[in-house]
Amino acid sequence: MSTDLAGIIAHIREGIVVFDSEGRVEEWLGAAQRMFGWSAEEMRGHNLDERLKPKDVNGNRTCIGRVAKDKELTITKGTPERELLTVTRTGGPLWVGVTSSFERGADGSVVRTTAVMRDIGRRKRIDIAKSEVISAVAHELRSPLTSVKGFTSTLLHRWERFDDDHKKHLLATINADADRVTRLIGELLDVSRLEAGRLPLSRRMIRLDDIASRVVERIRPRAADHEIAFEFPEHFPQVYADSDKIEQVLTNLIENAVKYTPGGRVRVAGSLLDSSVLVSVSDEGEGIASEHRFQVFHKFFRERVQAQNPGTGLGLYISKGLVEAHGGRIWVEDGTDKGAVFSFTLPLTHDSVD
């Protein structure tokens, strides 16, 4: 191999391995060493499958160097890409996409195989995340729909057996579960719009303190064990924003604070900065580990969610998107004594006066 060609092959992004009919490595080229950790000298003569321990997508042991039974598959007509889970020199997992081509002898048997392997770890992580999303959404939908179906069936078949109070209780439960499904579908639509950059905003001058107060009063009956403090100064400036979207942000933050503060104090406060307003929601829960401060705003991240606190992990992701769509920012930090403080800003305009 010429020096120029060897240099070119050494810098390609894929790993190239050539092995004989017994699976023994003859050439270990391209990104193979960067991907797996073994040098060409360490791989030559060793069985490829014994080193990489490949498994298929179902977790079954397989072979990278499996013999092509199709006589049409040759050096010029290779196999479709296969997704395999392999191990590196350090024992870590590595998902690779493998395509193979074959050199045949005079009798038609495979004498040499060339496999091109590329790192598909990012793609597989996305696929796994999508599967987890589907599972999470299916679970979140199944629970309220099962309740709606059960209570509706009960009312239809036993209407005359229940008094009015019992009927109202069942109907209220059905209504609450239907609202839960509607909210989940709305969250999924918001995620889709945020990622497509097509989130519509209906902006006007709004009173942020009034919206925050309304959200607090709506949540307060469901938080009988909590003290919810509302601290906004008089004559709090108006902001140019979408009232419904900001109410959604405040609802997410305050509901989360109540959820993670069993019987504690929740504080909703506003203050004026130089060119923006600041709203903070603090709780007295366990707080958020420093390494998770950015992750909590990612989709489906549920580090704080316990088994008794159902949810999809979409609320903070959507809140971040809504705040940033208004030109503001959102973040989380430690509380003064304990718990977490979620804060967001919204910019002021020249009309932000009473």
Side-chain angles (χ1 to χ4, degrees):
M1 185 183 299
S2 71
T3 304
D4 289 345
L5 181 56
I8 292 171
I9 292 176
H11 287 89
I12 64 175
R13 297 175 60 183
E14 291 78 15
I16 302 173
V17 56
V18 180
F19 50 91
D20 63 19
S21 59
E22 300 299 323
R24 291 186 294 263
V25 176
E26 296 180 353
E27 299 290 345
W28 186 250
L29 307 168
Q33 179 172 343
R34 296 195 298 274
M35 290 168 62
F36 296 99
W38 287 287
S39 67
E41 290 74 20
E42 292 171 318
M43 287 298 294
R44 286 195 186 97
H46 289 276
N47 185 279
L48 181 65
D49 295 326
E50 289 179 2
R51 279 283 169 90
L52 303 189
K53 299 178 174 61
K55 294 180 181 180
D56 62 22
V57 292
N58 297 313
N60 301 314
R61 282 298 299 268
T62 185
C63 301
I64 292 177
R66 65 182 181 185
V67 174
K69 296 180 179 179
D70 185 346
K71 297 295 183 182
E72 296 298 317
L73 291 176
T74 63
I75 201 76
T76 57
K77 187 177 180 182
T79 62
E81 182 179 87
R82 293 187 295 151
E83 294 183 350
L84 302 177
L85 178 61
T86 62
V87 297
T88 65
R89 183 174 184 172
T90 60
L94 178 65
W95 278 100
V96 293
V98 181
T99 55
S100 301
S101 55
F102 309 94
E103 181 181 344
R104 296 183 181 274
D107 62 352
S109 62
V110 174
V111 295
R112 186 171 288 102
T113 301
T114 301
V116 178
M117 299 178 289
R118 61 190 184 95
D119 185 344
I120 60 169
R122 183 175 181 276
R123 187 176 82 193
K124 290 303 294 183
R125 287 191 293 272
I126 292 172
D127 289 344
I128 291 169
K130 287 179 179 178
S131 297
E132 291 174 348
V133 168
I134 293 170
S135 176
V137 170
H139 175 77
E140 289 298 317
L141 286 172
R142 185 185 299 115
S143 179
L145 287 177
T146 299
S147 171
V148 168
K149 173 65 177 174
F151 286 137
T152 302
S153 178
T154 298
L155 285 171
L156 285 173
H157 292 93
R158 301 180 183 180
W159 181 267
E160 302 298 334
R161 300 185 186 182
F162 297 117
D163 58 29
D164 287 347
D165 288 341
H166 201 166
K167 289 174 184 175
K168 286 180 180 178
H169 172 71
L170 293 178
L171 289 171
T173 304
I174 292 171
N175 185 62
D177 284 330
D179 286 343
R180 183 175 163 191
V181 172
T182 301
R183 180 173 177 177
L184 175 59
I185 292 172
E187 287 180 339
L188 293 172
L189 288 173
D190 282 341
V191 168
S192 175
R193 291 168 183 148
L194 284 169
E195 295 185 338
R198 295 198 302 266
L199 182 72
L201 294 178
S202 179
R203 300 194 198 207
R204 57 186 176 84
M205 298 305 296
I206 61 171
R207 295 199 59 89
L208 192 52
D209 50 343
D210 286 350
I211 295 174
S213 175
R214 185 165 66 244
V215 173
V216 166
E217 293 310 311
R218 187 173 67 244
I219 292 175
R220 202 185 291 277
R222 292 180 275 142
D225 296 333
H226 297 76
E227 175 193 348
I228 304 181
F230 182 79
E231 301 175 9
F232 275 72
E234 289 187 34
H235 309 297
F236 197 73
Q238 298 183 73
V239 293
Y240 185 60
D242 185 315
S243 176
D244 292 339
K245 297 295 189 289
I246 298 305
E247 183 169 337
Q248 185 177 352
V249 172
L250 285 163
T251 299
N252 282 332
L253 296 183
I254 298 171
E255 285 185 344
N256 277 353
V258 169
K259 182 186 296 184
Y260 299 113
T261 306
R265 185 174 189 267
V266 173
R267 176 175 176 268
V268 184
S271 57
L272 178 62
L273 305 179
D274 289 341
S275 58
S276 61
V277 292
L278 171 70
V279 178
S280 297
V281 179
S282 56
D283 62 50
E284 294 181 341
E286 296 181 0
I288 296 175
S290 56
E291 64 268 22
H292 294 151
R293 298 280 167 82
F294 294 103
Q295 290 175 288
V296 293
F297 295 105
H298 292 178
K299 279 185 300 184
F300 306 104
F301 183 80
R302 301 177 62 197
E303 184 262 345
R304 301 181 83 201
V305 176
Q306 306 300 322
Q308 68 270 25
N309 292 323
T312 59
L314 290 173
L316 290 177
Y317 172 80
I318 292 171
S319 296
K320 182 176 185 291
L322 294 178
V323 168
E324 290 179 349
H326 283 83
R329 68 185 189 94
I330 187 170
W331 68 95
V332 61
E333 54 196 346
D334 288 331
T336 305
D337 297 317
K338 57 181 179 177
V341 182
F342 282 85
S343 303
F344 69 91
T345 60
L346 293 175
L348 292 170
T349 68
H350 65 281
D351 295 321
S352 297
V353 232
D354 281 327

